[in-house]
Amino acid sequence: MPQVILAIDQGTTGTTVFVVDARGRIRGRAYAEIRQFYPKPGWVEHDPEEIYRSVVTLSKKAIVAAKLSASAIAGIGITNQRETFVVWERRSGRPVYRAIVWQCRRSAAICDSLRKSESEVARRTGLLVDPYFSGTKLKWLLDQKPELRERGARGELCFGTIDTWLVYKLSRGAAFVTDYTNASRTMMFNLERREWDDEMLAMLTVPREMLPRAVSSRGPIAETAVGTIAPHAIPIAAVIGDQQSALYGQGCVVAGDSKATYGTGAFLLMNTSDKMVASNNRLLTTAALGPAGEPAYALEGSVFIAGAAVQWLRDGLKLVRKAADTYAEARASLAKNKDRTQPYVVPAFVGLGAPHWDANARGAIVGITRGTTRADIVRATLDSIAYQVRDVIVAMESDTAHPMSELRADGGATANRYLMQFQADILGKPVRRAKVAETTAMGAAMLAGLAVGIWKSPDEMLAILRGADVFKPKMQIAERERLLAGWHDAVSRTLTHRPN
């Protein structure tokens, strides 16, 4: 009997595929970056066909790396960058435009025009009015190309987030679906009723005929077509947005469980079970999962730039050759400047997310002196990730009246021990780092394995989660408060508006 899961993690900067066995071990893996397009300042695009090709190619490579036959694959779990979307021709499967990425800010003017309706948007969708979400950027595209809106209304075009695009392509058009977690990020989905919202579609002038069917994350949902990944069909057993997948992969399946994923951005979610918690601090209410994959809710705060700031150090400023070099640079800066007096980096490259939601904010380096070194800029950039995460956690604790006892951390940037220790210090709470950093992929694997019977129960599945490294806070309270005051002053210099 097949006893492994193929977990596809299609992220913002690259695609990773894992082969995961019944003990939760990664038996094989493959990864490749995908090209980023920046047509204008603040605009970000991907090539949808490149994304699909990467999934097929890397799936085959991961199976080979696992030294298994494709016949060993019991099912596929897909997790994906959530708000990024594609519009394509239903008949041919050809995209009509590049994928517009969640980071892209091109719909900022549309969001400004909708700001007066934000309370209604939040009530219906759990979201705020921001270019981050798919709906306003889809409106931008249909406004720019009115013929696409007409074709969409005739049922000739499909809209989908990356999960929908991949399932459609892998099934060769047999399945046009999305799951609740991805649908909840479009600004077109009624979170309470779990269906497309007619009022939101009217507000954004989006034809319903373009939209996929929304289903539960736990399937099976579809099958791969013969000859795509394997010579035979394979069940697509789970589809889930990346941050909800990481929440599930950390075992955060009951109310109060919380995690932060440090990827291109940093994303914090707190499971609120069957309760939709409305935020007073400009956080988001979103779809999540319970222990068996049943629909639940979460409170979420999104930091747009985390690991992307390290890429900027490497590729933009060329201050480091590789991301791992930031650890030594930060340590060197700290050795020279033990009180971290200056500078502060505010990486608002594409605006600021929670709790500010300022699409027009732009980045700044505050407090440069003649003595500022390369190492100081690197250290301050890592610090900015921790500061942003801390701001979201404070807002989350206020909304739920539930102080967080510890932060569960995952994602690539958690490999940086300096960052994890500073995160614990600036939080004043322990940070528990997952042994397997790839909990996003692991969540999709766990959900798919549960769906196809590799694990017979949620308890059996959760038993595969391993221990973790714990970073305990060491910083004095007065020092923490001084650093936070400097950070908040630096952020205030980048804001272009204050929340109402």
Side-chain angles (χ1 to χ4, degrees):
M1 177 181 173
Q3 282 293 306
V4 297
I5 294 293
L6 191 71
I8 297 168
D9 181 1
Q10 204 300 296
T12 310
T13 54
T15 301
T16 313
V17 180
F18 298 92
V19 175
V20 180
D21 69 15
R23 294 170 60 185
R25 297 175 302 181
I26 296 173
R27 299 280 295 275
R29 71 176 74 201
Y31 170 79
E33 290 191 356
I34 59 172
R35 186 178 176 188
Q36 311 291 309
F37 297 90
Y38 306 102
K40 294 182 181 181
W43 290 29
V44 191
E45 297 175 353
H46 290 161
D47 177 352
E49 294 286 10
E50 180 191 6
I51 288 174
Y52 172 65
R53 288 194 302 269
S54 73
V55 164
V56 171
T57 300
L58 295 170
S59 293
K60 294 175 180 178
K61 287 184 176 180
I63 294 168
V64 170
K67 298 180 180 177
L68 294 169
S69 162
S71 61
I73 307 295
I76 295 173
I78 295 176
T79 184
N80 59 284
Q81 48 170 324
R82 296 174 298 177
E83 298 81 8
T84 300
F85 72 89
V86 186
V87 175
W88 67 94
E89 293 178 339
R90 188 182 296 266
R91 180 171 293 180
S92 70
R94 287 195 297 266
V96 299
Y97 200 83
R98 282 181 185 156
I100 300 181
V101 178
W102 61 270
Q103 295 168 313
C104 185
R105 314 305 284 173
R106 73 184 66 197
S107 63
I110 292 173
C111 290
D112 289 342
S113 72
L114 295 175
R115 200 76 60 192
K116 62 185 181 298
S117 302
E118 186 165 77
S119 60
E120 182 181 2
V121 171
R123 180 173 60 83
R124 292 178 176 277
T125 70
L127 308 179
L128 301 174
V129 175
D130 191 85
Y132 177 27
F133 308 109
S134 317
T136 59
K137 287 180 287 206
L138 177 58
K139 175 176 170 54
W140 176 92
L141 178 60
L142 300 180
D143 287 350
Q144 293 294 308
K145 298 178 178 292
E147 69 277 10
L148 296 184
R149 183 176 280 113
E150 294 169 6
R151 294 185 65 193
R154 293 196 299 266
E156 296 174 8
L157 300 181
C158 297
F159 159 88
T161 43
I162 295 301
D163 61 307
T164 304
W165 167 245
L166 292 177
V167 172
Y168 191 90
K169 293 287 283 184
L170 288 169
S171 68
R172 294 205 178 116
F176 181 38
V177 296
T178 189
D179 87 298
Y180 297 147
T181 65
N182 280 290
S184 75
R185 312 301 294 185
T186 62
M187 217 171 95
M188 298 183 288
F189 193 69
N190 189 293
L191 193 58
E192 185 174 13
R193 298 200 307 265
R194 298 191 185 97
E195 62 184 30
W196 300 112
D197 189 287
D198 288 330
E199 293 298 323
M200 291 307 307
L201 297 183
M203 187 184 297
L204 297 168
T205 60
V206 170
R208 177 181 278 272
E209 293 79 3
M210 296 180 67
L211 304 180
R213 180 169 59 94
V215 300
S216 179
S217 303
R218 175 178 169 175
I221 291 164
E223 286 186 336
T224 63
V226 170
T228 50
I229 288 175
H232 58 280
I234 302 174
I236 299 174
V239 169
I240 182 170
D242 55 7
Q243 300 314 315
Q244 285 91 342
S245 188
L247 189 71
Y248 197 72
Q250 283 270 33
C252 298
V253 294
V254 299
D257 288 348
S258 310
K259 69 86 193 177
T261 296
Y262 298 75
T264 302
F267 301 89
L268 292 92
L269 275 79
M270 177 185 285
N271 193 309
T272 60
S273 189
D274 59 352
K275 292 186 174 68
M276 291 177 58
V277 176
S279 175
N280 295 315
N281 292 285
R282 298 183 66 76
L283 300 182
L284 310 174
T285 309
T286 195
L289 303 184
E294 68 274 23
Y297 298 101
L299 202 60
E300 176 171 344
S302 305
V303 172
F304 292 157
I305 299 295
V310 176
Q311 289 180 315
W312 168 68
L313 293 174
R314 182 192 70 187
D315 303 334
L317 299 187
K318 301 191 184 305
L319 296 185
V320 294
R321 285 192 310 108
K322 56 186 185 297
D325 294 342
T326 59
Y327 175 77
E329 294 286 354
R331 296 278 296 174
S333 170
L334 194 58
K336 173 180 71 72
N337 182 13
K338 291 188 185 302
D339 63 358
R340 291 186 176 90
T341 316
Q342 301 289 357
Y344 288 92
V345 172
V346 183
F349 303 153
V350 290
L352 287 171
H356 309 288
W357 293 106
D358 189 338
N360 297 310
R362 288 296 176 264
I365 303 175
V366 177
I368 297 174
T369 69
R370 179 61 182 85
T372 299
T373 66
R374 174 182 70 186
D376 294 332
I377 300 297
V378 171
R379 187 263 308 157
T381 301
L382 291 178
D383 289 354
S384 75
I385 300 171
Y387 284 128
Q388 292 178 97
V389 167
R390 188 259 180 197
D391 287 348
V392 173
I393 288 173
V394 169
M396 196 170 278
E397 290 179 328
S398 173
D399 278 336
T400 61
H402 183 90
M404 206 177 287
S405 59
E406 67 175 19
L407 178 66
R408 301 186 200 181
D410 60 82
T414 62
N416 191 305
R417 295 186 64 84
Y418 169 85
L419 174 60
M420 291 294 96
Q421 184 59 54
F422 185 65
Q423 185 71 84
D425 287 341
I426 210 66
L427 277 178
K429 301 175 190 290
V431 172
R432 185 175 295 273
R433 180 177 66 178
K435 281 284 189 185
V436 178
E438 301 91 349
T439 53
T440 301
M442 190 60 68
M446 289 162 58
L447 190 59
L450 196 60
V452 297
I454 283 184
W455 299 290
K456 304 303 181 188
S457 69
D459 287 343
E460 183 182 337
M461 173 196 68
L462 291 170
I464 70 171
L465 297 179
R466 298 179 175 87
D469 298 324
V470 178
F471 295 81
K472 297 180 179 178
K474 301 176 181 178
M475 186 178 287
Q476 297 296 315
I477 293 174
E479 173 75 353
R480 182 183 308 128
E481 291 178 348
R482 181 182 67 82
L483 291 175
L484 287 168
W487 163 253
H488 291 138
D489 175 68
V491 170
S492 72
R493 298 169 188 242
T494 72
L495 295 175
T496 62
H497 72 259
R498 294 292 189 274
N500 294 330

